[in-house]
Amino acid sequence: MRIATFGSHEDLPEVKSRHRDSRDYPHGIAFMDGQYLPMSEAKVSVLDWGFLHSDATYDTVHVWEGRFFRLNLHLDRFFRGMERLRMKLPHSREEIEGILANCVALSGHKSAYVEMICTRGGSPTFSRDPREAENRFIAFAVPYGSVANSDQLKRGLHVAVSETVRIPPNSVDPTIKNYHWLDLINGLFDAYDFGAETALIMDTSGNIAEGPGFNVFTVKGGQLKTPAFGVLPGITRQTVFDLCKESGLTAAAADLTRDELLQADEVFITSTAGGIMPVTRIDHTVIGNGDVGSVTSQLTNLYWQKHSDPAWSTAVNYR
Ligand code: PLP
């Protein structure tokens, strides 16, 4: 299969054809083992430790109206994670940046969800020694997706707090973006059983930690707060801190109790998948007056404005 199939141009790399299966995959392009492939053909070996042991790190950046948002911060976090997990790739940072841009350009998506993954891989001799594994790099670009749909963005999400405890940071370091999601998925099922739309789970001290793919903020008396401990330091969370600085708002990372969450004036969650998303109901409690709060709206507007600012975003060359 040639790239022309995807509406792209001749000077982009060739897309090779591979094993197909009949399931529906989102339209998109992946890169793995040195080749660009349609999403439906990007398959990982069942012997890869990323699959067998969740031995992997990854990052997700988005492209909005043809521009990567804060790509450097995502690459920094990805490379830091690989270093901490003692993984090595044959690609430089510049090469990876080029591969991500090629995936987006080949997909043709102007708004995309772009993932870069490094798995432990496996050893050709099936050795149990992780030092003998050949680490594998995978990247892909699919249509942009959000934690909250357009109706939820308008009226605010209904979140339930699950008793599930996030995996302890001294077991799995949450600052290395990882696929240890059984706690988060369990929280999600608890939330669905409750009749809510998504979940927040606890840290090991019983404070609020984070949710499946997002951080959480409260606004109380004009001051913002987000959990400091046992969470992934999200790039969107960092962006909220940066926007607060620009807007003269104060934001702190500190322990956040369940009561503080329920008594907040405003609550919102943050993720590359959706940006800043309002929460208007937690468990049985209506937050504030039940409408999306003014600080949340102000930060959301600023957040999306920054997507066309060259200081915060980089254009994809679709050629
Ligand atoms: N927390 C967890 C566990 C996540 O997986 C994610 C993103 O996937 C986030 C928080 C939000 O991070 P970011 O804002 O970098 O997308």
Side-chain angles (χ1 to χ4, degrees), residues 53-56 58 166-167 172 178-184:
H53 306 308
S54 272
D55 189 351
Y58 75 110
R166 188 86 174 101
I167 196 164
V172 175
N178 64 69
Y179 292 123
H180 291 263
W181 269 49
L182 295 186
D183 45 9
L184 295 165

Side-chain angles (χ1 to χ4, degrees), residues 58-60 74 77 113 166 177-178 181 184 210-215 231-237 270-273:
Y58 75 110
D59 217 289
T60 306
H74 288 278
R77 186 170 65 180
Y113 180 93
R166 188 86 174 101
K177 199 164 155 66
N178 64 69
W181 269 49
L184 295 165
E210 59 186 342
F214 53 82
N215 296 112
V231 300
L232 176 77
I235 305 300
T236 323
R237 174 181 180 269
T270 60
S271 172
T272 295

Side-chain angles (χ1 to χ4, degrees), residues 215-231:
N215 296 112
V216 62
F217 279 82
T218 55
V219 185
K220 183 77 180 173
Q223 312 244 336
L224 285 87
K225 191 169 172 183
T226 188
F229 174 75
V231 300

Side-chain angles (χ1 to χ4, degrees), residues 18-19 21 23 25 30-33 37 39-52 55-56 117-122 134-138 179:
R18 275 218 185 159
H19 168 71
D21 84 24
R23 278 168 289 191
Y25 286 84
F31 173 89
M32 64 185 295
D33 302 333
L37 304 156
M39 276 313 286
S40 57
E41 296 176 22
K43 305 285 169 61
V44 69
S45 163
V46 292
L47 295 179
D48 191 304
W49 283 30
F51 173 72
L52 290 177
D55 189 351
I117 304 163
C118 181
T119 71
R120 185 71 59 194
E134 291 168 10
N135 304 158
R136 170 178 274 130
F137 176 68
I138 305 167
Y179 292 123

Side-chain angles (χ1 to χ4, degrees), residues 35-279:
Q35 296 178 327
Y36 291 90
L37 304 156
M39 276 313 286
S40 57
E41 296 176 22
K43 305 285 169 61
V44 69
S45 163
V46 292
L47 295 179
D48 191 304
W49 283 30
F51 173 72
L52 290 177
H53 306 308
S54 272
D55 189 351
T57 187
Y58 75 110
D59 217 289
T60 306
V61 57
H62 69 224
V63 167
W64 188 253
E65 293 179 348
R67 303 180 72 84
F68 279 108
F69 188 60
R70 310 202 88 178
L71 177 57
N72 275 332
L73 297 185
H74 288 278
L75 288 168
D76 288 348
R77 186 170 65 180
F78 183 56
F79 274 84
R80 206 166 43 236
M82 282 194 292
E83 197 185 330
R84 300 278 296 282
L85 297 177
R86 305 187 197 201
M87 290 172 170
K88 274 209 176 69
L89 290 177
H91 308 293
S92 67
R93 181 173 168 129
E94 290 66 35
E95 283 166 349
I96 288 182
E97 210 173 322
I99 290 167
L100 298 176
N102 281 340
C103 287
V104 177
L106 287 163
S107 78
H109 295 314
K110 295 296 184 286
S111 294
Y113 180 93
V114 185
E115 195 154 322
M116 61 202 98
I117 304 163
C118 181
T119 71
R120 185 71 59 194
S123 117
T125 58
F126 203 43
S127 158
R128 300 181 70 86
D129 184 339
R131 294 170 301 183
E132 289 173 20
E134 291 168 10
N135 304 158
R136 170 178 274 130
F137 176 68
I138 305 167
F140 62 82
V142 291
Y144 180 75
S146 170
V147 173
N149 62 33
S150 56
D151 177 46
Q152 292 164 337
L153 289 173
K154 241 180 262 154
R155 62 163 161 83
L157 283 154
H158 180 197
V159 172
V161 179
S162 163
E163 296 299 328
T164 307
V165 174
R166 188 86 174 101
I167 196 164
N170 50 3
S171 298
V172 175
D173 182 350
T175 70
I176 302 170
K177 199 164 155 66
N178 64 69
Y179 292 123
H180 291 263
W181 269 49
L182 295 186
D183 45 9
L184 295 165
I185 301 292
N186 194 51
L188 208 42
F189 275 108
D190 283 348
Y192 295 151
D193 289 346
F194 187 86
E197 292 161 327
T198 191
L200 282 165
I201 67 170
M202 319 293 272
D203 70 15
T204 45
S205 307
N207 295 309
I208 301 296
E210 59 186 342
F214 53 82
N215 296 112
V216 62
F217 279 82
T218 55
V219 185
K220 183 77 180 173
Q223 312 244 336
L224 285 87
K225 191 169 172 183
T226 188
F229 174 75
V231 300
L232 176 77
I235 305 300
T236 323
R237 174 181 180 269
Q238 179 57 49
T239 301
V240 168
F241 279 107
D242 297 339
L243 295 175
C244 282
K245 217 180 229 169
E246 272 197 22
S247 324
L249 291 162
T250 37
D255 286 346
L256 181 72
T257 66
R258 189 180 191 145
D259 282 349
E260 281 179 289
L261 183 73
L262 296 175
Q263 287 158 21
D265 301 331
E266 299 181 31
V267 175
F268 61 82
I269 59 169
T270 60
S271 172
T272 295
I276 296 170
M277 296 163 277
V279 173

